[in-house]
Amino acid sequence: MRLKLVSLLIILSGLSACSTTEKPTKNSDNFSNSANALKNQATSAESIYLLAQNRQGADKIQLLYSARDAAITEQNWSLLEQIGSELELTASVDQIQNRLYIAFAQKQQNKNDQALVILQSLDGQLTQPEHFAWHQFLTASIYASQNFPKKAAPYFFRASETATKNNMEIPQLNQSLWDNLKQLSSYALERFNRGTVIQQGWVNLALYQQVYANSGVELDQAINNWRRRYVGHPARSILPKQDEALTELAPINIERLVVMFPQSGPNERLGDALKAGVLAALDKQNINETIFIDENLSTEEIAAQLEQIKPDFVVGPLLKVNIDKLANAKTLTDTPALHLNTFDGDRVSLQHYFFALNPEHEVEQALEHFLAMGYQKPMLLAPNNANGQRLVDYFNLQWQRYSQTKPQIGFYDDKKDMPNTITSLLEVDKSKERIKTVKALFRQEVENETRSRGDIDVIYILGDAIETRLIKPFLDVNVSTFSDRIPLYASSKSHSKQIDRTDKGDLDGLYFTELPWMLNSQIKQQDLREQYNTLWSDQADISQRLFAMAYDAVSVLHDIRQLSVMPSSQFSGLSGKLSVNSSGHIERTLDWAQYSNRRIKPVQLKTQRPVPLFMQTASEIQTIN
């Protein structure tokens, strides 16, 4: 029990870094060095805290953070509360995470009423998933400790949903939630049997335990059925392990497959590209019958066809609006399905998966590479439209989970606006103004050269192929010759097989992510590529990418259940290395390539999963920053 508590405390101690507010910057290295030297002299949380009382500014805050970590390790809850109260007086400290610390310390001292007041005061302010999950877990734990299992249950459910969706590990959460559900009557459980699939999974498992408590055979059968229905559910951790691998890792046997694409309307061309990919993949699959349905049919028409066909698996729809209408009608609740887009609603079944050529995958892959390389000040260039804003917002949100520095952002309206955006971000315009001022002081010619800012250490371009070919030369001429060359990166939007036939020269040195199918040197199925080029030599880039996506969608079906319960496993496809996260979305790892001497060459770049700030200790954060 003590080991579990210590594990929980170590994770919780990371909340000290889960901040959207920048902590005090160091004016010199002497601050952190002197603070560390003092900390090394101390032997306990109390002694580190006393040292902090004699310091000022950043040194004091660093020592208070270290004292807080030590107080959690020592389970000195009264000191932890005292440290939190002192940090609350410092404007530069993230007050949300700090108040969570205070509430946690009060809960550990059985000051439950005071802790609830703090937790309730944070409602509506919890934008970070780590903060929200711990807020819900702490609130639930307090109600559960006071024997209010009905009050605790919704908070436990939300903590479990958030942790699952964001791949977070909260020690004791699953066991605490399960212990709480066992306190509820079957009538109370039935009232909770709604909402998200995560909540329903927990409730149904608790109901099975009550209904079949006196019949071991029926209970085993019910739990096996539960496992098949809720593959990948977090409640797996509290189930007996003996049959889990056999049940969850068994491949899905698909005799009859239904594929839903747009076969009419404005997106029919996209459906044609997807259909070609499916047909190509079926040549290598042991599926007896495949039926194509137009996803633009009404919900009633689709439901009637599915009732008649009784498929083992459904691939599609492609359009979000059609995924939503089938989810709302619960048409596919009892049928395994791989939707060909992302889904923003509540997952109606753990047998439903989602596969999209999501640009966010590339943004995350680039971000992980930047952090692995130690880049601290990225600059992003994106079009000033909805897609550009979305990807920049996504990068910012993820970056804040791993680093306390702020990226520089530049949006451009059109090609005429690009030079101004770039010179302003690199502060070349300020350099030119200084040169102009100096020239005005002297009548003879003054030798000069503009300088760009020196703190930007990497640039990420989120424009399309045409925009990237305009941006790259501007960057080449505006980065100061006194500075090291700034590495330039882009997404697959920057690459076009059609444009590259005649225009690659201006992109020399640029790194980008891309589907293996779109890189001649990376294609393992050369015969398939040659057949494709023979049949569709002039296909647009989007059609080629959709072909690869549909090919992989069919090819991965045999392994999708195993991938969903083994997050570290990957499937190598035409669209990248595929894995399935805990929310059922397929994530892609793309290949890296670089333009070099008017050619495209594959490159291997360092990428590793970064440690979120909420799991870093105060000393680790100081080292990184």
Side-chain angles (χ1 to χ4, degrees):
M1 183 66 187
R2 176 177 171 80
L3 286 176
K4 287 185 178 180
L5 178 60
V6 171
S7 177
L8 183 148
L9 298 177
I10 291 172
I11 298 294
L12 184 63
S13 70
L15 281 171
S16 63
C18 188
S19 169
T20 57
T21 304
E22 288 197 73
K23 291 178 184 169
T25 56
K26 296 173 281 186
N27 294 327
S28 72
D29 289 338
N30 293 332
F31 278 119
S32 59
N33 290 339
S34 59
N36 284 330
L38 286 170
K39 184 186 70 173
N40 292 336
Q41 298 173 13
T43 57
S44 66
E46 186 74 40
S47 58
I48 299 173
Y49 175 71
L50 292 175
L51 286 173
Q53 303 310 301
N54 298 319
R55 306 293 293 182
Q56 299 294 325
D59 267 5
K60 181 173 184 176
I61 293 174
Q62 288 181 14
L63 285 168
L64 287 175
Y65 288 157
S66 298
R68 186 173 60 186
D69 292 344
I72 292 172
T73 302
E74 298 170 12
Q75 302 181 35
N76 190 338
W77 310 127
S78 60
L79 179 59
L80 178 61
E81 182 181 4
Q82 187 176 353
I83 293 169
S85 298
E86 186 159 342
L87 285 170
E88 199 168 19
L89 303 175
T90 305
S92 59
V93 169
D94 179 357
Q95 293 304 327
I96 294 177
Q97 60 84 12
N98 191 57
R99 291 180 71 77
L100 284 171
Y101 266 114
I102 297 172
F104 175 70
Q106 290 172 340
K107 170 188 172 296
Q108 295 301 110
Q109 299 174 83
N110 293 319
K111 299 179 181 179
N112 291 318
D113 291 341
Q114 294 172 252
L116 282 175
V117 168
I118 290 179
L119 293 169
Q120 289 164 2
S121 74
L122 294 176
D123 287 338
Q125 303 178 49
L126 303 161
T127 57
Q128 290 282 353
E130 292 85 2
H131 283 166
F132 181 79
W134 277 101
H135 176 276
Q136 299 296 290
F137 178 52
L138 288 177
T139 305
S141 300
I142 291 172
Y143 284 135
S145 69
Q146 295 178 318
N147 294 317
F148 294 130
K150 288 182 185 178
K151 272 191 171 184
Y155 293 96
F156 273 129
F157 291 141
R158 286 191 288 270
S160 179
E161 290 156 11
T162 305
T164 300
K165 184 175 182 180
N166 293 278
N167 297 312
M168 293 166 52
E169 180 71 26
I170 300 182
Q172 294 188 327
L173 168 59
N174 293 333
Q175 190 61 53
S176 298
L177 195 164
W178 181 242
D179 291 341
N180 188 73
L181 290 181
K182 290 191 291 186
Q183 305 302 314
L184 298 176
S185 66
S186 58
Y187 174 76
L189 286 170
E190 287 288 1
R191 296 190 65 182
F192 282 120
N193 198 7
R194 51 186 170 77
T196 69
V197 67
I198 296 297
Q199 179 170 329
Q200 291 180 49
W202 280 110
V203 172
N204 280 319
L205 186 61
L207 284 169
Y208 291 158
Q209 290 284 352
Q210 288 196 10
V211 172
Y212 302 112
N214 297 320
S215 176
V217 174
E218 289 182 327
L219 178 60
D220 285 345
Q221 184 178 0
I223 289 178
N224 284 335
N225 290 335
W226 182 94
R227 280 185 168 132
R228 280 190 286 270
R229 184 177 180 184
Y230 295 103
V231 173
H233 195 280
R236 290 178 303 145
S237 63
I238 56 92
L239 289 174
K241 302 295 182 184
Q242 57 268 27
D243 298 323
E244 184 175 1
L246 294 176
T247 303
E248 294 189 337
L249 297 182
I252 299 175
N253 182 31
I254 302 175
E255 296 287 336
R256 187 172 293 167
L257 175 69
V258 161
V259 181
M260 284 192 279
F261 294 150
Q263 298 178 26
S264 60
N267 295 296
E268 184 177 359
R269 180 177 60 87
L270 303 181
D272 290 341
L274 291 167
K275 188 173 184 178
V278 167
L279 292 173
L282 286 172
D283 285 343
K284 298 187 177 181
Q285 301 300 315
N286 187 24
I287 297 175
N288 290 338
E289 187 178 5
T290 302
I291 302 99
F292 291 86
I293 296 178
D294 186 354
E295 68 175 73
N296 290 322
L297 295 176
S298 69
T299 305
E300 293 76 16
E301 290 173 310
I302 291 175
Q305 291 198 37
L306 292 175
E307 177 62 28
Q308 182 179 0
I309 298 168
K310 292 183 169 45
D312 300 305
F313 212 103
V314 172
V315 172
L318 170 70
L319 305 178
K320 275 191 172 186
V321 63
N322 290 330
I323 295 175
D324 289 341
K325 77 179 182 183
L326 293 180
N328 292 334
K330 301 190 183 313
T331 306
L332 295 172
T333 300
D334 297 323
T335 305
L338 175 57
H339 299 310
L340 299 178
N341 212 323
T342 56
F343 183 60
D344 300 324
D346 292 328
R347 191 178 176 193
V348 298
S349 171
L350 291 183
Q351 298 183 91
H352 288 185
Y353 307 93
F354 310 92
F355 183 20
L357 299 181
N358 197 337
E360 279 82 355
H361 297 158
E362 300 184 57
V363 170
E364 185 142 4
Q365 186 174 338
L367 180 148
E368 290 179 359
H369 170 63
F370 297 164
L371 291 169
M373 295 297 293
Y375 297 138
Q376 286 296 307
K377 201 70 171 180
M379 185 175 90
L380 275 63
L381 294 170
N384 192 15
N385 56 33
N387 287 332
Q389 293 274 357
R390 187 184 91 242
L391 293 179
V392 166
D393 289 345
Y394 182 80
F395 184 97
N396 263 327
L397 181 64
Q398 297 304 313
W399 185 262
Q400 289 175 8
R401 296 180 68 186
Y402 304 112
S403 175
Q404 295 185 101
T405 61
K406 293 181 178 179
Q408 294 295 302
I409 309 299
F411 291 107
Y412 50 84
D413 294 312
D414 49 41
K415 65 181 181 180
K416 294 180 180 178
D417 188 40
M418 289 177 186
N420 294 332
T421 301
I422 292 170
T423 56
S424 177
L425 278 174
L426 292 175
E427 298 182 357
V428 174
D429 52 348
K430 294 181 180 179
S431 176
K432 290 180 177 178
E433 284 296 321
R434 290 193 295 271
I435 291 171
K436 184 177 179 181
T437 302
V438 171
K439 281 186 174 181
L441 298 175
F442 301 92
R443 294 188 177 180
Q444 69 267 31
E445 185 65 26
V446 177
E447 189 174 328
N448 65 85
E449 184 171 345
T450 56
R451 293 174 181 262
S452 59
R453 59 189 297 177
D455 59 334
I456 299 295
D457 49 15
V458 64
I459 296 175
Y460 191 33
I461 303 170
L462 291 167
D464 62 25
I466 295 175
E467 291 165 348
T468 303
R469 281 157 178 77
L470 294 172
I471 291 171
K472 174 68 164 52
F474 285 132
L475 291 171
D476 288 340
V477 300
N478 279 288
V479 174
S480 172
T481 57
F482 296 99
S483 305
D484 293 333
R485 181 62 60 185
I486 301 176
L488 301 181
Y489 294 82
S491 70
S492 62
K493 288 179 64 179
S494 69
H495 177 234
S496 167
K497 289 182 77 69
Q498 283 114 342
I499 296 177
D500 274 356
R501 291 173 185 171
T502 56
D503 184 12
K504 288 196 285 279
D506 288 337
L507 298 178
D508 196 63
L510 179 74
Y511 297 97
F512 65 99
T513 43
E514 183 55 286
L515 282 66
W517 179 247
M518 302 295 285
L519 299 170
N520 293 335
S521 60
Q522 300 296 90
I523 298 172
K524 295 180 180 179
Q525 300 189 46
Q526 286 292 343
D527 56 339
L528 180 63
R529 183 79 236 192
E530 290 171 6
Q531 292 174 15
Y532 184 96
N533 291 342
T534 301
L535 293 171
W536 301 291
S537 58
D538 295 322
Q539 281 282 351
D541 293 310
I542 182 60
S543 295
Q544 298 195 51
R545 292 188 168 103
L546 288 174
F547 174 91
M549 173 189 177
Y551 187 96
D552 285 351
V554 173
S555 302
V556 79
L557 294 181
H558 184 268
D559 299 316
I560 199 164
R561 179 180 284 169
Q562 296 95 311
L563 292 171
S564 69
V565 296
M566 300 173 66
S568 60
S569 299
Q570 290 185 320
F571 175 90
S572 293
L574 303 185
S575 60
K577 292 183 175 63
L578 309 181
S579 59
V580 181
N581 67 21
S582 55
S583 61
H585 284 78
I586 291 181
E587 296 180 341
R588 298 176 301 138
T589 300
L590 278 66
D591 287 344
W592 285 105
Q594 184 185 33
Y595 287 94
S596 178
N597 297 321
R598 297 183 178 273
R599 298 171 64 87
I600 294 175
K601 66 175 185 179
V603 291
Q604 298 293 325
L605 299 184
K606 181 181 179 182
T607 301
Q608 63 187 35
R609 184 73 67 176
V611 179
L613 283 175
F614 87 103
M615 292 187 67
Q616 297 173 19
T617 65
S619 60
E620 288 173 328
I621 297 163
Q622 293 165 25
T623 301
I624 292 171
N625 291 310

